[in-house]
Each structure stands twice: as structure tokens, then as C-alpha cells.
Amino acid sequence: MRIAMWSGPRNLSTAMMYAFAARDDCAVVDEPFYAAYLTETGLKHPMQQAILDSQPHDARAVVSQCLGDVPGNKPHFYQKHMTHHMLAHFSLGWLENTTNVFLIRHPARVVASYQAKRENPTLDDIGFVQQLRILRYVRDTLGQKPIVVDSDAILENPSAALNTLCDNIGIPFQTRMLSWPAGGNAADGAWAPHWYESVWNSTGLQASRVKPLPTLNKPLTDIVESALPHYNEMASYC
């Protein structure tokens, strides 16, 4: 099974990749479209050259990787995808060959976390518009019922949330998904030193009380307000 996990940045997406990497039956890949996205847009991101040196620049080559041989000949292939990397002209037709899951998080939490790593984010940077476009494609064009999980539910009760997620995907839950060794994962992308400090210091998913939404300045609040309708539509499928 090929599991395409679609999320925006700062969405608990790396921890989820670590959870699936901890399984004994699953290979993982980290944001394979990142270099293609940077090449096509000309945007400058932290660790730019390292990213460009580490991945194919052509989206068609990335699709071939996602649909090709599974690393280690594992039964399952978990693909961590950033929705904002999927530019409008990148084909989505290959998604008919993947089990598509959407990881969402309240936009206020996303914006606050993103701002701490890369200042002055835009609506495009945080991926909500693109995520809903992909969800609608999966629903309307491919005829699949969207599988949506909110990161808050994972944080509140990781075992229950991952049990439910695995059931919806159609694979058995493994308790080993709840823990991993500190220090990173071999599948981490070249950008990991800039973005992954907190998950590198973690050793798994532990239940925690979800904090109140952060207080943001006016420009960031405006981004949140623009993202909320997209988040709310997706959240209706949780």
C-alpha cells in the first residue's frame, strides 16, 4: 500500500512520518516534491542548495519515485507530502494509485509555529488552499471518501487517534508507532537541521492537553482568517 499523507507545514507531519517509520512493515519518504517546488517557483527557502542537490527537480520524476519500487521491499510506503509543494500544473492523476490521507491543524497554530522558523508567511506558504484542492480532487474526481485527521486529536490521545487512522487506511495499528529513538530518522530530508529540532529531541507521541490558540498580530490573524474556511471544510471529514 502507498499512503500519501497530505499536510501543510508545522502540522505534526514529521512526527507522523516518524510514527510510520517505526513500523516494521513501512518505508517512508520525506517531502519528495520539495526540490521540484523550489525549482519551479524560484522561491528561496532555508538550506536551499542542499535541498536542490538532494532531490529530482522534475515533478514527473518524483511521481515515478512515488509509484516505483518501495525502499527495502516493504509492504507499505508512507509518503509525507507538503500540499503547497503541489503546484497547480503538477499532475494529480497518480493519486489514484495511493491511499490519500489529509493531516490538518488549526491555522492559528500553523502560522504561529511557521513564523518561529521562517518569518512573514503567506497564505500560500501554509498550504490550506492547496490541501483543500487536493482533497476535492480525491473526493470529486477519484471518487474516494476523504480520510482526514486533526493533529489536535493525535496530541490528545495518540493511541486512539492512530488506531482509528490505521483502521481507516486499512492496516493494523502497531504500538511501536508511538515511540522512536531521539536524534532523527534516516529518511529525514536535507532541510531537517533547520526545521526538525523539536522532533529530533522527542522520543515518541505522548498524550498532552491541547493548548489554547495562540495570540497573533494583525497580519498573521488575517492569514488565519483566510485559511479558516478551508480548514473548516476539511475538518468536517475528521
Side-chain angles (χ1 to χ4, degrees), residues 1 4 13 23 48-49 51 54 66 71 73 84-85 108 127 136 146 171 175 181 191 193 199 203 207:
M1 176 182 292
S13 57
R23 297 177 61 99
Q48 178 97 359
Q49 194 57 52
I51 297 167
S54 69
C66 292
N73 294 315
H84 61 292
H85 292 171
R136 287 174 173 172
I171 61 175
T175 55
W191 52 91
V199 74
T203 56

Side-chain angles (χ1 to χ4, degrees), residues 8-10 31 33-53 55 82-87 114 117-127 130 190-196:
R10 318 309 291 170
E31 301 182 27
F33 285 91
Y34 202 164
Y37 162 76
L38 292 178
T39 299
E40 291 285 332
T41 62
L43 292 170
K44 302 301 180 185
H45 277 214
M47 305 194 69
Q48 178 97 359
Q49 194 57 52
I51 297 167
L52 294 174
D53 290 344
Q55 294 179 326
M82 292 288 103
T83 57
H84 61 292
H85 292 171
M86 296 304 294
L87 301 174
Y114 194 100
K117 290 290 185 178
R118 183 170 179 259
E119 293 183 348
N120 303 317
T122 67
L123 182 62
D124 278 347
D125 288 330
I126 59 174
Q130 302 93 322
W191 52 91
H194 181 82
W195 295 97
Y196 291 1

Side-chain angles (χ1 to χ4, degrees), residues 61-205:
V62 180
V63 170
S64 295
Q65 175 190 2
C66 292
L67 298 183
D69 294 339
V70 179
N73 294 315
K74 297 282 189 175
H76 306 304
F77 190 12
Y78 180 93
Q79 303 169 9
K80 174 193 168 192
H81 293 296
M82 292 288 103
T83 57
H84 61 292
H85 292 171
M86 296 304 294
L87 301 174
H89 62 282
F90 286 1
S91 172
L92 296 178
W94 62 279
L95 270 61
E96 67 180 349
N97 299 302
T98 59
T99 298
N100 298 286
V101 186
F102 299 86
L103 177 64
I104 64 174
R105 190 185 191 193
H106 193 285
R109 302 191 196 281
V110 172
V111 167
S113 181
Y114 194 100
Q115 169 77 6
K117 290 290 185 178
R118 183 170 179 259
E119 293 183 348
N120 303 317
T122 67
L123 182 62
D124 278 347
D125 288 330
I126 59 174
F128 284 91
V129 175
Q130 302 93 322
Q131 192 174 28
L132 181 57
R133 177 177 71 91
I134 297 169
L135 183 148
R136 287 174 173 172
Y137 178 87
V138 167
R139 181 192 65 194
D140 300 337
T141 302
L142 300 183
Q144 299 177 10
K145 182 179 179 181
I147 301 172
V148 181
V149 59
D150 196 303
S151 64
D152 281 357
I154 297 169
L155 291 173
E156 287 179 330
N157 193 330
S159 180
L162 290 179
N163 261 286
T164 301
L165 175 59
C166 288
D167 185 58
N168 276 273
I169 292 173
I171 61 175
F173 169 71
Q174 294 185 0
T175 55
R176 64 199 310 157
M177 297 176 71
L178 299 173
S179 60
W180 51 78
N185 187 280
D188 287 345
W191 52 91
H194 181 82
W195 295 97
Y196 291 1
E197 180 181 3
S198 61
V199 74
W200 277 0
N201 291 330
S202 71
T203 56
L205 291 165

